[in-house]
Amino acid sequence: MQVTKDMLMGDLLRKDINVAYILMASGMHCVGCPSSQMESLEEAAAVHGIDCDKLVAAINEFFANKEASANAEA
């Protein structure tokens, strides 16, 4: 899975709820807020003063590691 800045927060969290840990660790503590679900990752990062490019890279690294782990087990 490739994450982009324009992905909606709600969609991203539905793909894998564990992304919430990455978001919260970066300072985005609004992951449970209903209004955040319709914000893009870029919009939410801007509101919290977070570098969206770094956040996207961290989330993509998470998904790459998860996929590599799944492939190793197969």
Side-chain angles (χ1 to χ4, degrees), residues 21-40:
Y21 295 109
I22 298 168
L23 297 171
M24 291 175 66
S26 71
M28 197 177 295
H29 301 280
C30 63
V31 295
C33 176
S35 63
S36 74
Q37 302 303 301
M38 295 306 293
E39 285 184 319
S40 71

Side-chain angles (χ1 to χ4, degrees), residues 9-22:
M9 293 282 291
D11 292 341
L12 185 58
L13 291 167
R14 280 187 287 282
K15 293 284 184 190
D16 191 323
I17 192 64
N18 293 309
V19 171
Y21 295 109
I22 298 168

Side-chain angles (χ1 to χ4, degrees), residues 63-74:
F63 280 115
N65 289 339
K66 181 178 175 180
E67 185 176 314
S69 178
N71 288 339
E73 292 176 5

